[in-house]
Amino acid sequence: MNRILLGYLAREIYAATLMVLLAFLGLFAFFDFVNELPDIGRSGYQAHHALIYVVMLLPTRLYELLPVAVLIGSLYALTTLARHSEITVMRASGLSTRRMLGMLCLIGIMPVAFTYVFGEYLAPPAESAARQWRLIRTKSAISQQLRSGLWVKDGLRTVNVRVLQPDRSMNRVRVFTFDEAGALQSIAEAERGVYVQAGDKGKGYWHLTDVTRTEFSDDHIALASPDNVIWESALTPEVLSVLMVQPDRMSVTALLAYISHLRENRQDASRYEIALWKKLTAPFASLVMLILALPFALIHERSGGVSVKVFLGVMLGVTFYLLNGMFSSLGTINSWPPSIAAVTPSLLFLMAAAVMLYIVERR
């Protein structure tokens, strides 16, 4: 009996969730395409290039929208069953709230697994490929919002990259080298830097060309112009590319690598630590949304109930999305523990679901 009910509930919830997810993906793909319209026709960037770019962004959109789709889909499926009195029949047959909650947790395993796979293995490389596709087709380069370019610390060096090309080479690079006391020792300026992989262990170096080096000492300043300079650094193209991507859209592996780099250079990594915790807990947001949908299904409303509850689901989904962003910003500003800043929105929704279940059961 339990297996039949579990299969039936899973089929209804998965079908409704898939319908909602496809609708959201189509809507957001349309918005993404509209955002590309101002650039179509410039530098050879055509409508089919924009369309390919939008399609390549779909794994990222799916990862972001899946928890909200699960909430709205499960609300629609469960409230429809309640409206047709099927939930009432199940409960009259001996299905308790606890057992139904257990079934929903089992049903939530698949969305949790999908969220993890897309967030870790599909969305980050797809978004990276989409960005590179767009940069190549628009014949543009990556640069930071600062007019002076990208700044990053590498041990006793501070590196300024004016332009990072789509092939992840660097143009107009400046390397400032300091001693242990913080005194400036040299400034190296290069027109171009290319990363060369050395060996099979992932280590490599930057090959700088058209270099001008200024060295400072106590009594004089020396100027040199070597044609080529080999610069061994922990900074790789992957680390530099990380700075151009939103932390929430990076993989766990990339986040761990960059957090380690920041800590080694005694820099603030709180923003990326919060993103890491959000990445680790994001798969369970779908499970929380399923639990949150259950109290609505147990409230018996035969007329107009489905549409009202679906609307509430949309509002709750938007609220969850906004809370995630708000707590990430508050955590960074107020130096909250990253785990607290990342987990709090899901905990608040889980607590709300528990309170609502308690109220429904008391009735």
Side-chain angles (χ1 to χ4, degrees):
M1 181 67 176
N2 285 342
R3 288 186 178 180
I4 296 175
L5 285 178
L6 178 63
Y8 181 64
L9 287 173
R11 185 168 63 252
E12 293 295 318
I13 291 173
Y14 290 158
T17 300
L18 180 61
M19 178 182 65
V20 174
L21 185 60
L22 290 175
F24 271 135
L25 286 175
L27 182 64
F28 276 78
F30 174 75
F31 290 153
D32 288 336
F33 185 77
V34 169
N35 287 335
E36 295 300 304
L37 290 180
D39 292 326
I40 292 177
R42 298 179 182 176
S43 303
Y45 190 58
Q46 301 299 325
H48 66 278
H49 296 145
L51 185 61
I52 292 173
Y53 170 70
V54 169
V55 171
M56 294 172 76
L57 286 179
L58 287 180
T60 300
R61 295 299 181 211
L62 188 147
Y63 170 74
E64 295 173 343
L65 294 170
L66 188 56
V68 178
V70 168
L71 174 60
I72 299 174
S74 56
L75 270 175
Y76 176 81
L78 293 176
T79 52
T80 300
L81 293 178
R83 188 168 182 267
H84 295 160
S85 300
E86 293 181 69
I87 297 292
T88 303
V89 172
M90 293 178 190
R91 289 170 65 81
S93 303
L95 183 64
S96 65
T97 302
R98 182 176 297 181
R99 286 171 60 189
M100 186 176 290
L101 192 60
M103 287 182 178
L104 290 180
C105 290
L106 290 175
I107 293 171
I109 291 176
M110 184 174 292
V112 167
F114 266 96
T115 305
Y116 173 76
V117 170
F118 270 85
E120 182 64 18
Y121 299 107
L122 298 178
E127 174 146 352
S128 177
R131 288 176 177 273
Q132 290 193 25
W133 166 268
R134 191 182 188 282
L135 289 167
I136 291 172
R137 294 303 171 185
T138 55
K139 297 179 175 62
S140 59
I142 308 172
S143 62
Q144 286 294 87
Q145 294 179 353
L146 295 176
R147 292 183 179 180
S148 56
L150 168 67
W151 292 85
V152 62
K153 189 177 180 182
D154 178 31
L156 296 176
R157 301 184 183 95
T158 298
V159 184
N160 173 220
V161 181
R162 296 298 297 270
V163 179
L164 181 62
Q165 297 289 357
D167 61 0
R168 299 188 294 181
S169 63
M170 303 184 298
N171 285 352
R172 298 161 64 191
V173 187
R174 290 188 293 175
V175 182
F176 300 81
T177 304
F178 300 85
D179 60 17
E180 294 289 346
L184 182 63
Q185 288 188 320
S186 67
I187 302 175
E189 299 184 40
E191 284 298 318
R192 181 173 170 81
V194 178
Y195 192 75
V196 179
Q197 200 77 30
D200 300 328
K201 296 183 179 181
K203 295 183 179 180
Y205 58 87
W206 289 96
H207 181 209
L208 305 180
T209 55
D210 297 327
V211 181
T212 301
R213 176 181 291 172
T214 306
E215 297 183 354
F216 303 91
S217 61
D218 294 335
D219 55 355
H220 70 281
I221 298 175
L223 186 65
S225 299
D227 292 332
N228 301 288
V229 170
I230 301 301
W231 168 35
E232 296 184 356
S233 171
L235 291 176
T236 63
E238 287 73 22
V239 171
L240 291 175
S241 296
V242 156
L243 301 174
M244 308 299 176
V245 180
Q246 295 181 16
D248 291 345
R249 297 182 178 182
M250 293 160 51
S251 67
V252 171
T253 305
L255 282 168
L256 286 172
Y258 192 59
I259 289 171
S260 175
H261 171 77
L262 291 175
R263 287 175 176 171
E264 288 175 359
N265 289 278
R266 299 179 181 179
Q267 292 180 280
D268 182 21
S270 58
R271 181 188 177 196
Y272 293 89
E273 289 172 345
I274 291 173
L276 175 63
W277 275 96
K278 285 179 66 176
K279 201 78 176 182
L280 294 173
T281 57
F284 300 99
S286 298
L287 191 59
V288 173
M289 296 305 175
L290 269 171
I291 296 172
L292 185 63
L294 181 57
F296 291 94
L298 300 180
I299 300 174
H300 304 287
E301 294 181 7
R302 290 180 174 273
S303 58
V306 175
S307 58
V308 171
K309 292 170 186 176
V310 168
F311 175 76
L312 287 175
V314 174
M315 294 298 100
L316 287 171
V318 171
T319 302
F320 181 77
Y321 181 83
L322 294 176
L323 280 178
N324 258 324
M326 184 183 73
F327 274 89
S328 296
S329 301
L330 289 176
T332 303
I333 294 170
N334 299 313
S335 300
W336 291 350
S339 57
I340 300 298
V343 176
T344 298
S346 295
L347 287 179
L348 289 175
F349 271 62
L350 189 60
M351 290 172 59
V355 171
M356 292 171 64
L357 277 174
Y358 176 76
I359 293 173
V360 170
E361 286 297 291
R362 287 288 300 271
R363 292 175 60 185

